[in-house]
Amino acid sequence: MLVFDVGLGKANRARETAEEDSMRKTVAFAIIALVSAILMVPAMVWAQGEVVQQFNNGSINWSSGRVTAVGIGAPPAQPTNMAQARAMARRAAITVARRNLLEITQGVQVDSMTLVKDFVVKSDIVRTSVQGVVRNAQVVDTAYMSDGSVEVTIVMDMGGEFASVILPPPPVMPEGFPGPMPPAGAEVPTQVFTGLVIDARGLGTRPAMAPKILDESGKELYGSAMVDREYAVQQGMVGYAKDLNAAQGNSRVTDRPITVKALRVSGPAKCDVVISNSDAAQLTAAAENLSFLQKCRVLAV
């Protein structure tokens, strides 16, 4: 009987050890999976007051409206001389940087439903145009390494030609179309403002080229259909900043901006924001306010 009990105890301990090993492996696998997932997702960081989306080989600076990419090129195995080695390594680095820039650019969020790559896949014209903009990206830094390799940094503006290709064309509005109206039943003040600052801190808002502002009922107050496309192409529909005070003093919204607190984010990509009906009434009450919206004088914090 004693022998049986000892044997049973050993069996139980062996089973417990196996279960513990299995549990450790499961936890380790979960940690690895989590870290891998984090590394695969571009991180949103705030550098010197700017909103920057960081990738492995570059970044999107939503405050300055610029996309940056880095490429590294190696020298040929048997170069004729050092000058040739450096020139060929630099050329290779530029090629790699452009490839990385194209990849990052295709991940730019256009609106709550769409990335640039969605347009590229659907349209040969868009794909060719985006590739052309990437080819014309400017080299802003060249670093020569001790092993003969060269690192190149290139930059592309999201405004201008790129925005002209990506932003949707304005819809044809009936003559005399009044634009967004105040929410029904809301008290309508008559104060005139020169710009809009959206305080979306703490909501996990993601930047995009063409975000929307909605009231509590989901009615669109601001979007690509309501702006002057020339302004949107040149400066972007929305500027992004980290600091509220800096945003309120930004030249984009000039000297009398209205500041509203976003209630929540909306849409799959979390780039649209919802504001209260009372703030919506303030925003849409005066024709002058609609004028600054058309000129994209909007900043999000």
Side-chain angles (χ1 to χ4, degrees):
M1 195 68 178
L2 179 60
V3 174
F4 174 78
D5 289 342
V6 171
L8 182 60
K10 289 182 177 179
N12 288 338
R13 285 194 296 273
R15 185 171 62 254
E16 291 172 357
T17 300
E19 290 175 351
E20 290 173 358
D21 289 342
S22 177
M23 181 63 71
R24 282 195 291 268
K25 290 178 181 178
T26 300
V27 172
F29 178 79
I31 293 173
I32 292 171
L34 177 61
V35 172
S36 298
I38 292 172
L39 292 176
M40 290 175 65
V41 176
M44 196 69 63
V45 299
W46 287 262
Q48 297 180 348
E50 297 184 327
V51 180
V52 181
Q53 195 174 3
Q54 195 69 49
F55 295 78
N56 287 335
N57 298 306
S59 62
I60 302 172
N61 188 318
W62 289 95
S63 296
S64 65
R66 307 178 88 191
V67 184
T68 302
V70 175
I72 298 176
Q78 296 180 332
T80 302
N81 51 53
M82 182 61 71
Q84 183 200 47
R86 284 190 168 185
M88 295 181 71
R90 186 176 186 274
R91 192 177 305 123
I94 292 174
T95 299
V96 173
R98 285 175 177 163
R99 185 170 64 242
N100 292 336
L101 182 63
L102 182 60
E103 181 179 348
I104 294 170
T105 298
Q106 292 191 74
V108 170
Q109 195 76 43
V110 180
D111 55 36
S112 192
M113 301 291 293
T114 314
L115 297 170
V116 168
K117 68 178 180 182
D118 298 321
F119 291 140
V120 170
V121 169
K122 292 178 181 178
S123 171
D124 291 338
I125 295 176
V126 173
R127 182 175 65 254
T128 301
S129 299
V130 170
Q131 290 173 344
V133 176
V134 168
R135 279 196 299 270
N136 292 329
Q138 299 297 308
V139 176
V140 295
D141 187 52
T142 302
Y144 296 94
M145 310 299 182
S146 59
D147 62 356
S149 62
V150 176
E151 181 181 270
V152 165
T153 302
I154 61 176
V155 171
M156 180 198 82
D157 286 327
M158 287 196 289
E161 185 180 354
F162 179 73
S164 181
V165 171
I166 297 302
L167 288 178
V172 178
M173 295 294 184
E175 186 175 351
F177 183 74
M181 301 297 292
E187 183 180 347
V188 182
T190 57
Q191 188 171 357
V192 174
F193 303 100
T194 59
L196 170 65
V197 175
I198 299 286
D199 182 359
R201 291 174 296 176
L203 299 179
T205 311
R206 310 290 293 185
M209 293 183 67
K212 296 177 182 177
I213 300 173
L214 312 169
D215 67 14
E216 293 178 74
S217 67
K219 181 180 178 181
E220 185 175 329
L221 304 169
Y222 181 72
S224 59
M226 302 168 186
V227 301
D228 185 317
R229 197 169 189 273
E230 183 176 349
Y231 283 94
V233 166
Q234 294 305 319
Q235 66 182 32
M237 281 186 55
V238 174
Y240 290 92
K242 174 189 174 184
D243 182 75
L244 181 61
N245 290 332
Q248 291 169 333
N250 191 289
S251 60
R252 179 171 184 142
V253 295
T254 63
D255 59 333
R256 295 190 316 278
I258 175 176
T259 300
V260 301
K261 177 66 178 176
L263 300 178
R264 59 183 180 273
V265 295
S266 178
K270 299 182 178 180
C271 60
D272 301 335
V273 295
V274 177
I275 65 174
S276 70
N277 286 342
S278 59
D279 285 335
Q282 272 194 297
L283 187 62
T284 57
E288 291 87 347
N289 294 343
L290 301 182
S291 176
F292 80 65
L293 290 176
Q294 290 174 342
K295 296 176 181 178
C296 305
R297 292 179 181 172
V298 180
L299 270 169
V301 182

